[in-house]
Amino acid sequence: MSETTHTRAHVQFPSSALALKYAATFWFLTAVVGQWLFVAYILSLYGGPTVTGHLEGWNRNTGLFNGHVVGDTTGNIVFASHMMGAALITLAGTLQLVPQIRKRARTFHRWNGRVYMATAGIMALGGLYLVWIRGGYFHIPGALAITLNSVLILVFGALALRHAMRRNIAAHQRWALRLFMVVSGVWFLGVGLMGWIIINQGPVGMTDNMDGWVDLFSAYGSYLVPLAILELYLRAKAAGSPVQRYAVSALVTAATLVMAVGIFGAYMFMWKAYL
Ligand code: HEM
């Protein structure tokens, strides 16, 4: 659709554009609450032991594959950078998406963006080390899922940076949003599985080895489903008919409600114990 047609649709049906905007804002505010709780969990569980050097404290989370391993200096350093990077990138990512900060504090947006992208690279490469060198995986399909997540983080990060440097702001924003979705994959995984368990009143399709059908679906779905919904949103926003825009608004709102249930579950059953 041409720019003129798009503008005309926007003017004739402002409420569909508004519905999309409200749905996106509802999604973002809900995600911020959940991501900041995740940051608080990471800092209170891993921050103290990392700063004071009592690294065995990491293993209070008994669900880890390795965590702190006596004598494995390289692995422990990668793990420490992964945990501190997780807190930093999650916090920085939410700040990058606030439009008021982008408009009024451009220098902050640029520096925060550089920190975000550098941390994304360190997380993706460090994560690959934790999986393939340190053996942090249950099974090959799961290891391949998180490996694809790493590759997408590196590719989307490079594209978001390239468009920012060329001052192609519309394309930069699209790739930065895609980057945000794949960087949030680990967070979506925890929140998604908790939402699923609460809605089904139990771990349907899940096993202790993470090889149930829901485990396998969510290993890939944790970042591919948010990416797909984002793509629908971007298309509806740029050139969607009013019906498409209302449909995508309804989809984003429904997904946000499921996400809210998942955040509540993750807080109650995973994060709260360490806060
Ligand atoms: C960039 C976004 C990422 C974030 C925010 C993140 C966050 C985390 C967090 C918080 C943990 C500790 C588990 C917990 O307490 O819940 C963790 C563990 C782990 N992450 Fe990541 N991660 C990210 C990306 C990746 C990637 C891309 C990979 C693999 C390629 C990866 C591999 C691992 C592994 C193997 C562990 C377990 C380490 C162990 O049990 O010893 N992560 N991650």
Side-chain angles (χ1 to χ4, degrees):
M1 193 185 280
S2 74
E3 189 64 28
T4 333
T5 331
H6 162 221
T7 313
R8 209 179 300 137
H10 194 93
V11 172
Q12 278 174 357
F13 303 98
S15 54
S16 67
L18 219 54
L20 207 51
K21 193 177 163 179
Y22 287 146
T25 308
F26 176 46
W27 173 81
F28 177 63
L29 293 177
T30 310
V32 167
V33 172
Q35 296 218 338
W36 286 7
L37 285 171
F38 184 51
V39 171
Y41 153 80
I42 297 168
L43 288 179
S44 64
L45 174 55
Y46 301 107
T50 306
V51 172
T52 57
H54 294 104
L55 307 186
E56 66 285 351
W58 295 337
N59 298 357
R60 279 186 296 151
N61 177 359
T62 48
L64 291 175
F65 288 108
N66 294 295
H68 175 252
V69 177
V70 178
D72 180 14
T73 310
T74 313
N76 291 335
I77 290 173
V78 174
F79 186 84
S81 71
H82 199 74
M83 291 311 111
M84 296 307 97
L88 182 64
I89 203 169
T90 307
L91 189 63
T94 55
L95 299 179
Q96 282 307 86
L97 296 192
V98 177
Q100 287 80 1
I101 294 183
R102 282 204 302 274
K103 277 184 210 128
R104 294 193 200 137
R106 278 213 185 159
T107 312
F108 174 81
H109 179 75
R110 285 203 183 124
W111 278 104
N112 196 40
R114 285 173 190 138
V115 168
Y116 184 85
M117 284 185 194
T119 313
I122 292 169
M123 300 284 300
L125 296 174
L128 288 176
Y129 182 95
L130 293 176
V131 171
W132 294 110
I133 311 286
R134 241 190 172 196
Y137 62 90
F138 282 109
H139 40 66
I140 294 295
L144 291 177
I146 191 87
T147 298
L148 176 62
N149 194 352
S150 268
V151 172
L152 294 180
I153 290 173
L154 294 172
V155 173
F156 293 176
L159 288 168
L161 183 64
R162 197 168 101 141
H163 288 299
M165 289 169 75
R166 292 187 175 177
R167 299 285 178 270
N168 184 349
I169 300 306
H172 163 67
Q173 278 189 356
R174 282 195 299 275
W175 286 109
L177 282 171
R178 291 174 186 133
L179 177 62
F180 181 86
M181 294 303 169
V182 289
V183 162
S184 302
V186 168
W187 179 81
F188 279 125
L189 182 65
V191 164
L193 288 178
M194 280 299 158
W196 176 259
I197 291 173
I198 290 184
I199 290 166
N200 289 287
Q201 304 280 298
V204 175
M206 296 165 68
T207 68
D208 287 346
N209 242 6
M210 301 287 284
D211 57 2
W213 71 269
V214 171
D215 297 313
L216 292 174
F217 173 82
S218 45
Y220 291 86
S222 57
Y223 52 94
L224 294 179
V225 171
L227 268 184
I229 296 179
L230 171 66
E231 227 42 56
L232 291 173
Y233 165 79
L234 290 175
R235 275 155 204 250
K237 190 178 173 205
S241 67
V243 172
Q244 285 166 341
R245 284 184 178 163
Y246 282 125
V248 173
S249 308
L251 176 68
V252 171
T253 306
T256 306
L257 291 174
V258 174
M259 195 174 82
V261 174
I263 291 169
F264 172 75
Y267 172 72
M268 292 303 289
F269 306 118
M270 283 162 65
W271 305 332
K272 194 174 155 213
Y274 302 102
L275 292 180

